[in-house]
Amino acid sequence: MKKKKYNNLKIDNNPEAFFMAATSAFVKSGYRRTTMNDVAEAADMSRPALYQDFKDKEDVFCSAVSYLMNKAVKMSIKTLSLSGPIDKRILAAMLDFEEIHWGPCAKSQYALEIMHSTVKLEKAIGAIKLGRKKLRAALSKSLQQAERNGEVSFVDLGMQPSTFVSILMSILAAQKYQDTANP
Protein backbone atom coordinates (compact mmCIF):
# COMPACT_ATOMS: atom_id res chain seq x y z
CA MET A 1 0.00 0.00 0.00
CA LYS A 2 1.24 3.48 -0.78
CA LYS A 3 2.01 5.98 1.96
CA LYS A 4 -1.21 7.50 3.19
CA LYS A 5 -2.09 11.18 3.10
CA TYR A 6 -5.06 10.58 5.39
CA ASN A 7 -5.99 8.16 8.13
CA ASN A 8 -8.71 5.80 7.03
CA LEU A 9 -10.00 4.20 10.21
CA LYS A 10 -12.16 1.71 8.30
CA ILE A 11 -9.06 0.15 6.75
CA ASP A 12 -6.58 0.88 9.55
CA ASN A 13 -8.74 -0.61 12.34
CA ASN A 14 -9.53 -3.86 10.53
CA PRO A 15 -7.38 -4.45 7.45
CA GLU A 16 -8.45 -8.10 7.24
CA ALA A 17 -12.13 -7.15 7.01
CA PHE A 18 -11.33 -4.56 4.35
CA PHE A 19 -9.20 -6.88 2.22
CA MET A 20 -11.69 -9.74 2.51
CA ALA A 21 -14.50 -7.36 1.45
CA ALA A 22 -12.39 -6.11 -1.47
CA THR A 23 -11.58 -9.69 -2.44
CA SER A 24 -15.27 -10.60 -2.33
CA ALA A 25 -16.01 -7.76 -4.77
CA PHE A 26 -13.44 -9.16 -7.24
CA VAL A 27 -14.72 -12.71 -6.70
CA LYS A 28 -18.30 -11.62 -7.37
CA SER A 29 -17.66 -9.78 -10.64
CA GLY A 30 -14.16 -10.71 -11.77
CA TYR A 31 -11.25 -8.30 -12.04
CA ARG A 32 -12.29 -6.60 -15.28
CA ARG A 33 -15.88 -5.90 -14.25
CA THR A 34 -15.20 -4.80 -10.67
CA THR A 35 -15.23 -1.06 -10.09
CA MET A 36 -13.97 1.10 -7.25
CA ASN A 37 -17.63 1.65 -6.36
CA ASP A 38 -18.09 -2.15 -6.05
CA VAL A 39 -15.12 -2.35 -3.70
CA ALA A 40 -16.33 0.62 -1.65
CA GLU A 41 -19.81 -0.92 -1.32
CA ALA A 42 -18.39 -4.31 -0.34
CA ALA A 43 -16.21 -2.63 2.31
CA ASP A 44 -19.12 -0.46 3.48
CA MET A 45 -17.28 2.78 2.87
CA SER A 46 -17.50 5.71 0.49
CA ARG A 47 -15.63 5.77 -2.78
CA PRO A 48 -13.80 9.00 -1.82
CA ALA A 49 -12.60 7.29 1.38
CA LEU A 50 -11.31 4.39 -0.71
CA TYR A 51 -9.40 6.82 -2.94
CA GLN A 52 -7.64 8.21 0.14
CA ASP A 53 -5.67 4.97 0.36
CA PHE A 54 -5.70 3.54 -3.16
CA LYS A 55 -4.91 5.06 -6.53
CA ASP A 56 -7.26 2.83 -8.51
CA LYS A 57 -8.78 -0.66 -8.83
CA GLU A 58 -5.43 -2.19 -9.72
CA ASP A 59 -3.91 -0.76 -6.54
CA VAL A 60 -6.73 -2.26 -4.42
CA PHE A 61 -6.45 -5.62 -6.19
CA CYS A 62 -2.67 -5.83 -5.87
CA SER A 63 -2.82 -4.75 -2.22
CA ALA A 64 -5.42 -7.47 -1.55
CA VAL A 65 -3.22 -10.06 -3.30
CA SER A 66 -0.25 -8.92 -1.21
CA TYR A 67 -2.29 -9.03 2.02
CA LEU A 68 -3.58 -12.54 1.31
CA MET A 69 -0.12 -13.74 0.28
CA ASN A 70 1.46 -12.43 3.49
CA LYS A 71 -1.31 -13.97 5.58
CA ALA A 72 -0.91 -17.31 3.76
CA VAL A 73 2.85 -17.38 4.29
CA LYS A 74 2.54 -16.50 8.00
CA MET A 75 -0.02 -19.26 8.54
CA SER A 76 2.12 -21.78 6.65
CA ILE A 77 5.21 -20.92 8.69
CA LYS A 78 3.17 -21.25 11.88
CA THR A 79 1.91 -24.67 10.73
CA LEU A 80 5.45 -25.80 9.89
CA SER A 81 6.59 -24.86 13.39
CA LEU A 82 4.10 -27.20 15.05
CA SER A 83 5.21 -30.59 16.30
CA GLY A 84 4.48 -33.79 14.44
CA PRO A 85 5.72 -35.72 11.42
CA ILE A 86 7.29 -33.56 8.72
CA ASP A 87 5.11 -34.99 5.94
CA LYS A 88 1.93 -33.98 7.77
CA ARG A 89 3.28 -30.52 8.60
CA ILE A 90 4.38 -29.89 5.00
CA LEU A 91 1.03 -31.00 3.63
CA ALA A 92 -0.90 -28.93 6.20
CA ALA A 93 1.30 -25.88 5.55
CA MET A 94 0.76 -26.08 1.79
CA LEU A 95 -2.98 -26.58 2.21
CA ASP A 96 -3.10 -23.59 4.57
CA PHE A 97 -1.19 -21.54 2.02
CA GLU A 98 -3.46 -22.47 -0.87
CA GLU A 99 -6.67 -22.03 1.13
CA ILE A 100 -5.76 -18.54 2.30
CA HIS A 101 -4.15 -17.41 -0.95
CA TRP A 102 -6.56 -18.90 -3.52
CA GLY A 103 -9.48 -20.04 -1.34
CA PRO A 104 -11.47 -16.81 -1.60
CA CYS A 105 -11.66 -17.00 -5.40
CA ALA A 106 -11.34 -20.75 -6.06
CA LYS A 107 -15.06 -21.38 -6.52
CA SER A 108 -15.81 -18.12 -8.34
CA GLN A 109 -16.92 -18.32 -11.94
CA TYR A 110 -14.20 -15.71 -12.52
CA ALA A 111 -11.41 -17.68 -10.80
CA LEU A 112 -9.39 -18.14 -13.99
CA GLU A 113 -9.70 -14.45 -14.88
CA ILE A 114 -8.64 -13.46 -11.36
CA MET A 115 -5.70 -15.88 -11.51
CA HIS A 116 -4.64 -14.44 -14.88
CA SER A 117 -4.95 -10.91 -13.51
CA THR A 118 -2.48 -11.71 -10.75
CA VAL A 119 0.16 -12.62 -13.30
CA LYS A 120 -0.48 -9.62 -15.55
CA LEU A 121 -0.17 -6.90 -12.92
CA GLU A 122 3.42 -6.12 -11.97
CA LYS A 123 2.70 -5.29 -8.32
CA ALA A 124 0.70 -8.52 -7.86
CA ILE A 125 3.44 -10.54 -9.54
CA GLY A 126 5.98 -9.10 -7.11
CA ALA A 127 3.83 -9.95 -4.08
CA ILE A 128 3.28 -13.51 -5.31
CA LYS A 129 6.95 -14.09 -6.11
CA LEU A 130 8.01 -12.78 -2.71
CA GLY A 131 5.39 -14.85 -0.89
CA ARG A 132 6.31 -18.03 -2.73
CA LYS A 133 9.99 -17.37 -2.11
CA LYS A 134 9.29 -17.08 1.64
CA LEU A 135 7.18 -20.24 1.58
CA ARG A 136 9.87 -22.17 -0.33
CA ALA A 137 12.49 -21.02 2.19
CA ALA A 138 10.32 -22.07 5.14
CA LEU A 139 9.54 -25.46 3.58
CA SER A 140 13.21 -26.04 2.73
CA LYS A 141 14.30 -25.08 6.24
CA SER A 142 11.76 -27.49 7.75
CA LEU A 143 12.92 -30.31 5.48
CA GLN A 144 16.57 -29.63 6.22
CA GLN A 145 15.80 -29.76 9.95
CA ALA A 146 13.85 -33.01 9.45
CA GLU A 147 16.80 -34.42 7.52
CA ARG A 148 19.20 -33.49 10.34
CA ASN A 149 16.80 -35.15 12.81
CA GLY A 150 16.72 -38.33 10.70
CA GLU A 151 13.02 -37.97 9.82
CA VAL A 152 13.68 -37.89 6.07
CA SER A 153 16.54 -38.53 3.71
CA PHE A 154 17.20 -37.00 0.34
CA VAL A 155 20.29 -39.11 -0.37
CA ASP A 156 18.44 -41.65 -2.54
CA LEU A 157 16.54 -38.91 -4.37
CA GLY A 158 19.75 -37.26 -5.53
CA MET A 159 18.49 -33.77 -4.72
CA GLN A 160 18.57 -31.22 -1.96
CA PRO A 161 15.46 -30.30 0.08
CA SER A 162 15.28 -26.94 -1.74
CA THR A 163 15.08 -28.70 -5.12
CA PHE A 164 12.38 -31.01 -3.81
CA VAL A 165 10.40 -27.99 -2.54
CA SER A 166 10.74 -26.20 -5.90
CA ILE A 167 9.34 -29.25 -7.69
CA LEU A 168 6.55 -29.55 -5.13
CA MET A 169 5.62 -25.87 -5.53
CA SER A 170 5.60 -26.19 -9.32
CA ILE A 171 3.31 -29.20 -9.16
CA LEU A 172 0.99 -27.39 -6.76
CA ALA A 173 0.79 -24.31 -9.01
CA ALA A 174 0.13 -26.44 -12.09
CA GLN A 175 -2.55 -28.42 -10.28
CA LYS A 176 -4.26 -25.24 -9.03
CA TYR A 177 -4.29 -23.83 -12.57
CA GLN A 178 -5.64 -27.11 -13.98
CA ASP A 179 -8.35 -27.33 -11.30
CA THR A 180 -9.42 -23.77 -11.99
CA ALA A 181 -9.34 -24.13 -15.79
CA ASN A 182 -11.27 -27.41 -15.77
CA PRO A 183 -13.88 -27.31 -13.00
Side-chain angles (χ1 to χ4, degrees), residues 108-157:
S108 169
Q109 66 182 11
Y110 302 107
L112 197 55
E113 177 196 332
I114 293 168
M115 187 181 287
H116 284 163
S117 296
T118 62
V119 297
K120 290 181 182 176
L121 303 172
E122 197 64 39
K123 189 175 170 187
I125 293 169
I128 289 172
K129 283 182 178 179
L130 180 60
R132 289 187 180 181
K133 180 179 178 180
K134 288 177 182 178
L135 179 62
R136 271 194 306 277
L139 291 168
S140 293
K141 182 178 174 184
S142 293
L143 282 173
Q144 289 165 351
Q145 183 64 44
E147 190 173 38
R148 282 192 294 275
N149 294 343
E151 260 186 281
V152 295
S153 174
F154 288 89
V155 173
D156 293 337
L157 289 177

Side-chain angles (χ1 to χ4, degrees), residues 95-108:
L95 290 172
D96 286 346
F97 177 82
E98 284 299 303
E99 179 57 32
I100 293 168
H101 179 59
W102 287 117
C105 74
K107 296 195 182 342
S108 169

Side-chain angles (χ1 to χ4, degrees), residues 4 6-15 45 49 52-53:
K4 301 177 191 182
Y6 310 98
N7 285 330
N8 192 330
L9 296 178
K10 188 92 174 163
I11 297 170
D12 294 342
N13 287 342
N14 196 345
M45 60 192 299
Q52 287 179 351
D53 285 312

Side-chain angles (χ1 to χ4, degrees), residues 4 10 21 27 31 36 43 50 60 63 77 86 104 118-119 129 132 138 148 163 165-166 170 183:
K4 301 177 191 182
K10 188 92 174 163
V27 166
Y31 176 76
M36 286 292 273
L50 188 59
V60 174
S63 295
I77 290 171
I86 189 66
T118 62
V119 297
K129 283 182 178 179
R132 289 187 180 181
R148 282 192 294 275
T163 305
V165 168
S166 291
S170 295

Side-chain angles (χ1 to χ4, degrees), residues 21-63:
T23 299
S24 72
F26 289 109
V27 166
K28 180 180 176 186
S29 302
Y31 176 76
R32 289 179 290 170
R33 287 163 293 290
T34 300
T35 65
M36 286 292 273
N37 196 55
D38 296 332
V39 173
E41 283 180 18
D44 192 29
M45 60 192 299
S46 70
R47 216 174 85 196
L50 188 59
Y51 277 109
Q52 287 179 351
D53 285 312
F54 301 98
K55 184 173 96 176
D56 54 22
K57 172 178 81 170
E58 180 179 325
D59 192 22
V60 174
F61 181 80
C62 292
S63 295

